[in-house]
Amino acid sequence: MARFAYEALKDRGVIDLIREISPKSVREPYLGCNLNLPGSVTQQMHMDRTFTNEFMIANISVVDTDLINGATDVVPGSHKRFYKYWQWVLLGKGRAHKRLPSEAGDVLIRVSNLWHRGMPNLSDKPRPMLAFTWEDGGSAEADPFAQNGGKIQFRPNWFAPTRMGRLIERTFVVAPITYNTYRFATSIFSNKSY
Ligand SMILES: O=C(O)CCC(=O)C(=O)O
Ligand SMILES: [Fe+2]
């Protein structure tokens, strides 16, 4: 499935377009898939990396994705300058958010600096979304499918799947204000906005 999508992006010039937009995306992309599982909760608005370490992302919808099964929420234009999280909050930047419903096969090209958040999947099926990404110019592998010996690897997303990681995640899910406060405070000293 990922290979078919990758070949299609190449044939249709989408990979060239990404290199045109961001010439440092010289190598092959890392291949990933965001699985939004039933029962997921709203993520907090974030960038995927620090502002000055930005990279390109091509998301391909594998299934029709709507407000029920968790279409991503984005803030158009929010990649143009850097906001520390506390600035983001005080300026109310998140108010201009927009859900992005899509049909299977649609491609979203964005830079990691675009603020966005995963949304709850209210359906009873996982929502897959392919992610081709060019962190630091792309993969070290000449063949993107050679990543991890060609095997599928399940990776945790935000929180470690340890007792401590789960405790932190549960706390933030049950009382999001604790996470907001933590991010607000740490953003005064750090340039992380995720
Ligand atoms: O799955 C999504 O819709 C977005 C997830 C996301 O932004 C993330 O995990 O960083
Ligand atoms: Fe993200």
Side-chain angles (χ1 to χ4, degrees):
M1 160 52 99
R3 188 181 291 278
F4 159 76
Y6 174 72
E7 295 300 335
L9 292 195
K10 225 160 65 173
D11 292 348
R12 300 297 180 96
V14 176
I15 305 275
D16 287 340
L17 173 66
I18 286 168
R19 294 200 171 114
E20 205 54 49
I21 296 168
S22 167
K24 68 179 176 181
S25 312
V26 282
R27 294 190 302 278
E28 297 295 342
Y30 292 98
L31 307 182
C33 179
N34 289 76
L35 263 189
N36 185 349
L37 299 173
S40 62
V41 299
T42 308
Q43 286 184 333
Q44 294 208 352
M45 284 282 177
H46 62 274
M47 304 188 296
D48 284 320
R49 220 183 192 192
T50 52
F51 190 78
T52 49
N53 269 317
E54 91 289 357
F55 61 94
M56 293 301 290
I57 302 170
N59 283 134
I60 301 106
S61 299
V62 179
V63 297
D64 293 349
T65 305
D66 55 20
L67 304 191
I68 302 296
N69 64 350
T72 311
D73 201 22
V74 306
V75 180
S78 58
H79 61 292
K80 290 184 186 159
R81 60 154 277 202
F82 174 56
Y83 301 96
K84 286 178 172 245
Y85 185 68
W86 67 267
Q87 295 173 313
W88 177 265
V89 171
L90 292 185
L91 291 169
K93 285 284 157 190
R95 284 201 293 266
H97 66 110
K98 191 177 186 326
R99 298 292 293 275
L100 292 182
S102 56
E103 288 175 17
D106 282 353
V107 185
L108 165 70
I109 299 171
R110 70 170 173 91
V111 65
S112 59
N113 285 348
L114 184 78
W115 288 71
H116 64 282
R117 60 181 173 179
M119 296 299 283
N121 180 351
L122 306 172
S123 80
D124 57 5
K125 293 186 200 68
R127 182 237 55 194
M129 176 176 74
L130 295 176
F132 296 165
T133 61
W134 279 264
E135 288 97 327
D136 305 312
S139 169
E141 306 276 0
D143 171 10
F145 295 90
Q147 192 178 305
N148 190 46
K151 288 196 294 290
I152 289 178
Q153 185 183 21
F154 285 89
R155 290 201 309 235
N157 189 15
W158 221 251
F159 301 97
T162 57
R163 263 166 69 127
M164 190 46 116
R166 287 208 177 92
L167 181 65
I168 295 171
E169 181 170 11
R170 286 309 305 160
T171 306
F172 288 161
V173 167
V174 174
I177 186 76
T178 55
Y179 195 26
N180 283 312
T181 308
Y182 166 77
R183 290 183 69 202
F184 193 95
T186 51
S187 73
I188 295 168
F189 308 104
S190 110
N191 282 338
K192 252 178 79 170
S193 283
Y194 52 92

